[in-house]
Amino acid sequence: MATVKWGILSTANIGRTQLIPAIKRADLAEVVAIASRGSQVHEVAAELQIPRAYESYDALLEDQEIDAVYIPLPNHLHKEWVLKAAEKGKHVLCEKPLALTAQEAEEIVAACEKHGVKYMEAFMYQFHPQHQRVRDIIASGEIGEVKLFKSSHSFFLNDREGDIRIKKEMGGGAIYDIGCYSIHVLRTVLQAEPVLAKGIAKQDANNDVDLSSFIYLEMENGIPAAIDCSFDMTGRNEYEVVGTKGTIRVPFAFRPDLNGGVGLVITQVNGMVREEKVNGDIYRLEVEHFSQAILNDSQPLQTGTSSIQNMRVIEACYEAVETGKMVKI
């Protein structure tokens, strides 16, 4: 059976602890190379049993055996290395957010189309089947007409000195890093786009990035949404859909892997609560989906158009926070 041969651009923690192990668990995929800017890459390659190690990203992109690359580099480097990978004919799975602006996102998507390679932004959470279960419950009418969507994503960032998530020039900030999930799931579950944004934020005094942001979004169908994201609160990764008859709550929305891969869909109608456990290996499902798209020449679930739209909403959220005004998207 054919497999997609993967190269990993950087020894970033998410690659070592999540994506590379997921590729090893996956069908249709294998890791053949890893690159980093320095000799430490050889130790990482040996530890993870990866056949080839390169001391530069360019060297890895020259490897003719590699079909696809995974890019977990800091946000401000995404555009540069997606474009370089596309030019070398490599399919690209890139960590979110795709870019720092919608214009950059458009350039990335256009470049991948020009060079005939697949591109997918790594919103791994969406491959967990709990979200389809939520959409099915909404479609069934069990909770009535949807009137509100709420989402929270946070964690307490301890060692902040030098962390790239606190560096403005590297694309740091809570909305970029974790607010993007709530924006994405809002669009995915409601199958609609935000048209207005308003928000406030608590800024880091030294680095001018948002530590916590609180955003109001209005959807094109009139449904209001409230999202919050923070590096300054305890860990939460959840959303709730409120209808005229009941609610649906998903307490392990973005990181069900922290709950053993078990997602929960909790429906409450007329005081009656139903809790459904839904299993899924999100990183493996993501790798297998993208590998299958490459082998079958099919469109990945996360389209370039959707990634561009997500960036437009992120930009609007930051503009709303900075200006204090309601911003049209």
Side-chain angles (χ1 to χ4, degrees):
M1 183 167 55
T3 62
V4 174
K5 293 179 171 57
W6 286 81
I8 313 298
L9 285 191
S10 120
T11 54
N13 184 63
I14 189 172
R16 296 198 317 269
T17 63
Q18 302 297 341
L19 223 289
I20 292 171
I23 294 173
K24 291 178 179 291
R25 295 194 301 270
D27 296 326
L28 312 176
E30 59 179 310
V31 185
V32 298
I34 187 169
S36 185
R37 291 170 170 169
S39 60
Q40 77 277 5
V41 69
H42 299 285
E43 295 177 13
V44 175
E47 176 189 342
L48 297 174
Q49 299 179 312
I50 298 173
R52 295 193 290 282
Y54 295 102
E55 294 184 17
S56 77
Y57 304 143
D58 286 306
L60 184 145
L61 294 179
E62 293 293 341
D63 188 327
Q64 297 300 307
E65 188 182 3
I66 293 172
D67 303 309
V69 295
Y70 169 61
I71 301 178
L73 294 166
N75 297 340
H76 72 299
L77 296 177
H78 288 179
K79 176 186 171 182
E80 175 186 356
W81 288 101
V82 173
L83 295 185
K84 287 183 176 180
E87 289 170 1
K88 295 298 181 180
K90 311 300 185 189
H91 304 287
V92 179
L93 176 66
C94 182
E95 269 307 325
K96 49 76 214 156
L98 166 61
L100 298 183
T101 67
Q103 181 177 341
E104 284 188 359
E106 290 170 359
E107 292 175 26
I108 287 170
V109 171
C112 290
E113 291 177 353
K114 174 185 175 181
H115 294 288
V117 300
K118 305 289 182 190
Y119 158 78
M120 192 171 79
E121 190 175 11
F123 279 111
M124 76 298 179
Y125 86 90
Q126 68 183 310
F127 294 97
H128 197 286
Q130 64 182 334
H131 307 294
Q132 183 58 55
R133 179 62 185 136
V134 171
R135 289 193 291 268
D136 291 343
I137 294 170
I138 293 172
S140 75
E142 184 179 2
I143 66 165
E145 183 182 352
V146 174
K147 292 293 184 178
L148 175 66
F149 188 99
K150 299 190 294 181
S151 179
S152 299
H153 200 178
S154 64
F155 63 93
F156 192 83
L157 183 58
N158 285 303
D159 299 322
R160 301 182 183 187
E161 188 66 33
D163 194 297
I164 62 173
R165 290 168 289 193
I166 302 294
K167 294 187 176 182
K168 188 177 182 68
E169 69 276 12
M170 299 179 78
I175 296 175
Y176 273 138
D177 190 66
I178 48 179
C180 63
Y181 285 97
S182 290
I183 292 167
H184 189 273
V185 77
L186 165 67
R187 299 173 50 241
T188 300
V189 169
L190 296 186
Q191 296 290 286
E193 296 294 343
V195 293
L196 294 171
K198 188 172 177 61
I200 59 173
K202 176 185 176 182
Q203 301 290 120
D204 179 84
N206 298 318
N207 298 286
D208 193 31
V209 298
D210 58 313
L211 289 178
S212 300
S213 287
F214 309 88
I215 308 294
Y216 165 82
L217 293 165
E218 186 172 308
M219 307 302 286
E220 59 191 343
N221 54 13
I223 296 173
I227 69 173
D228 67 85
C229 52
S230 180
F231 299 148
D232 217 23
M233 302 181 190
T234 190
R236 300 169 301 146
N237 71 108
E238 61 193 27
Y239 66 82
E240 182 180 19
V241 186
V242 181
T244 53
K245 297 179 181 178
T247 64
I248 307 168
R249 190 166 67 87
V250 184
F252 301 103
F254 310 119
R255 295 299 306 274
D257 55 305
L258 300 180
N259 193 45
V262 180
L264 295 176
V265 178
I266 304 169
T267 307
Q268 182 170 346
V269 179
N270 296 326
M272 302 296 292
V273 178
R274 181 180 71 248
E275 183 176 298
E276 301 173 62
K277 293 182 178 181
V278 186
N279 290 289
D281 183 346
I282 51 175
Y283 288 101
R284 175 181 175 175
L285 290 169
E286 175 183 58
V287 167
E288 289 181 339
H289 174 84
F290 193 57
S291 297
Q292 193 73 64
I294 292 169
L295 294 171
N296 293 346
D297 192 21
S298 57
Q299 173 62 56
L301 176 64
Q302 178 64 21
T303 66
T305 300
S306 179
S307 290
I308 292 168
Q309 183 60 22
N310 221 61
M311 283 306 313
R312 287 181 180 140
V313 181
I314 290 171
E315 274 193 306
C317 290
Y318 273 119
E319 182 182 346
V321 164
E322 291 168 4
T323 64
K325 298 179 180 179
M326 184 75 79
V327 175
K328 287 186 178 181
I329 303 171

